[in-house]
Amino acid sequence: MKSLATIGAFSLARLPRIEFGVGALDKLPAIAAQYGKRLLIVTGASSFTASPAGERVLGALHAAGFTWELCRVTEEPSPQWVDATVAQYRDQAFDAVVGIGGGSPLDAAKAVAGLLKPANSVMDHLEGVGPELPYRGVATPFIAVPTTAGTGSEATKNAVLSVQGVNGFKKSFRDEQLMAEYALVDPSLLATCPPAQIAANGMDAFTQLMEAYVSTRANPLTDALALSGMTAVRDSLLTLYADPTDAQAQAGMAYAALLSGICLAQTGLGSVHGIVAPLGAFHPVPHGVGCGMLVAAATRMNIDCLEVREPEHPALAKYAQIGKLFRGRSHVDEVGARVFLVHTLTTWARQLNLPSLSDFGVTTAAIPHLVANSRGSSMKTNPVELTDTEIAAVITACL
């Protein structure tokens, strides 16, 4: 069998201690006690704290003698929200910050944990915005508890912050000190996710796995993890979408999302995330929904450009490997496998009832502005350099 990767030099950034499995949430009191009994808990609007799992873990923390402040983030966190939250809580001596929720609460908690002690503005450190000063720390210990299966934020060192509007942006505060000390991944927490959220989060996780797999910084270790994660998505996403209480599908998607975070933290991403960043900044497009809408067209464009410009590029063999994974046949020819990959992604978008960009008010007039702002860090690890015309074609195909 032909090898898809040559084993050369690579580095692996630090990861959190991972506790995976049903009941992982119940380990929170014992784990948090390693740092102290005073917590800042960052969570979403109300769904977790009002749930049986939320009531159970808060009751366990109370019984164990913890005290805490509860901080809610109701939308994608902005730099202004982070700075205001840090200003509100910086004079309190928190022993740890616990983020419980989807990608937004985890990113918000991560950024706050990084700045409670230094107490400066997060704008000092955002990539591509402001002075980009190096982060010196010291971060407050951070514990991540994901309640959705999408962003993989529990395993990354970056907090994604957004400003909405014509001059908006979506940028990362990124440093290894921001990595969670612990990630408690409890698949049973997915039971309360509505199908639309499962669809968006699942397509985000898959996109991260595939973009990490074909990234210019991929290595054999991340390749193995990405393939394992994509297999889990193949076997679990549509099942979980149809029945959020399916325990096997919950575990599969929680596992896939975790691996997507691990992989992207090591390899970077690609063109889908390059486009989604300005798309979410300039228009009210949720991140995962944007990934799901764009991934088929962007994958087709990458494949077409590689076949013409770099027909021996290893990413082409990798795209074919994913197509064979979906097809369930290893003997399918590589061109046919790549066609099947794009077909599968298009079919998933329909089965998951994903909208189009025009449903969010995106028009052809917006495309030049989106293209001009799509050259962020994610685009730098795409397997082929896309022209402005090619990026515009991807967006047009999704209107």
Side-chain angles (χ1 to χ4, degrees):
M1 178 179 174
K2 181 181 177 182
S3 174
L4 292 177
T6 299
I7 300 177
F10 66 89
S11 61
L12 188 69
R14 68 178 290 256
L15 295 170
R17 168 70 182 263
I18 296 167
E19 298 289 344
F20 182 96
V22 174
L25 175 66
D26 298 321
K27 299 178 181 180
L28 178 59
I31 287 171
Q34 299 175 60
Y35 305 103
K37 293 294 185 77
R38 179 66 174 160
L39 305 177
L40 176 62
I41 300 176
V42 181
T43 188
S46 63
S47 57
F48 177 76
T49 52
S51 71
E55 293 175 354
R56 184 179 75 248
V57 75
L58 291 177
L61 288 170
H62 178 75
F66 285 88
T67 61
W68 62 85
E69 295 291 333
L70 192 64
C71 176
R72 299 187 186 277
V73 57
T74 58
E75 54 191 15
E76 292 185 359
S78 67
Q80 292 77 16
W81 183 92
V82 171
D83 285 353
T85 303
V86 169
Q88 180 179 356
Y89 293 113
R90 66 189 175 195
D91 293 332
Q92 300 192 38
F94 291 109
D95 299 307
V97 175
V98 181
I100 307 177
S104 291
L106 295 190
D107 284 357
K110 195 180 302 181
V112 170
L115 293 169
L116 278 175
K117 291 179 180 176
N120 60 299
S121 173
V122 72
M123 291 297 295
D124 293 340
H125 309 299
L126 281 188
E127 62 181 22
V129 182
E132 297 187 77
L133 300 176
Y135 174 72
R136 303 298 185 191
V138 174
T140 301
F142 168 51
I143 301 169
V145 185
T147 62
T148 64
T151 66
S153 179
E154 65 271 17
T156 73
K157 64 181 180 181
N158 54 300
V160 181
L161 306 179
S162 303
V163 170
Q164 288 280 332
V166 176
N167 297 314
F169 58 80
K170 182 174 287 190
K171 299 292 184 181
S172 286
F173 170 27
R174 192 189 312 264
D175 193 89
E176 283 210 0
Q177 289 193 62
L178 304 185
M179 183 67 73
E181 297 294 323
Y182 281 83
L184 309 184
V185 184
D186 190 330
S188 68
L189 297 178
L190 301 182
T192 58
C193 291
Q197 187 178 36
I198 290 169
N201 290 336
M203 291 305 287
D204 187 14
F206 175 80
T207 302
Q208 290 172 171
L209 289 161
M210 182 170 66
E211 291 194 321
Y213 186 53
V214 300
S215 164
T216 56
R217 287 171 45 200
N219 63 64
L221 178 58
T222 56
D223 285 353
L225 295 177
L227 279 171
S228 181
M230 286 186 284
T231 302
V233 176
R234 179 199 66 183
D235 296 340
S236 306
L237 176 55
L238 295 178
T239 301
L240 189 64
Y241 179 72
D243 180 10
T245 67
D246 187 296
Q248 186 172 350
Q250 290 169 358
M253 287 310 302
Y255 171 75
L258 172 66
L259 292 190
S260 79
I262 293 172
C263 289
L264 79 86
Q266 311 301 324
T267 68
L269 292 166
S271 60
V272 175
H273 280 81
I275 299 170
V276 163
L279 188 63
F282 304 146
H283 302 276
V285 179
H287 179 80
V289 174
C291 289
M293 288 188 289
L294 290 167
V295 66
T299 300
R300 181 186 292 113
M301 182 62 73
N302 277 356
I303 290 170
D304 289 347
C305 291
L306 286 167
E307 287 178 341
V308 171
R309 299 203 283 264
E310 299 183 67
E312 300 302 317
H313 197 290
L316 283 173
K318 288 185 170 185
Y319 280 126
Q321 180 68 16
I322 306 169
K324 293 174 183 179
L325 182 74
F326 287 160
R327 187 80 173 183
R329 300 177 186 173
S330 60
H331 63 275
V332 179
D333 72 274
E334 295 209 344
V335 172
R338 291 192 286 269
V339 170
F340 189 75
L341 166 60
V342 175
H343 168 74
T344 300
L345 296 176
T346 303
T347 301
W348 279 4
R350 183 175 65 253
Q351 292 174 314
L352 295 170
N353 294 306
L354 294 176
S356 64
L357 292 179
S358 59
D359 293 324
F360 294 95
V362 182
T363 66
T364 55
I367 292 177
H369 190 45
L370 291 170
V371 172
N373 287 274
S374 66
R375 301 289 183 182
S377 59
S378 292
M379 197 68 82
K380 294 176 182 176
T381 45
N382 198 55
V384 61
E385 185 174 350
L386 300 179
T387 66
D388 286 356
T389 300
E390 289 160 351
I391 296 171
V394 170
I395 301 171
T396 300
C398 302
L399 291 176

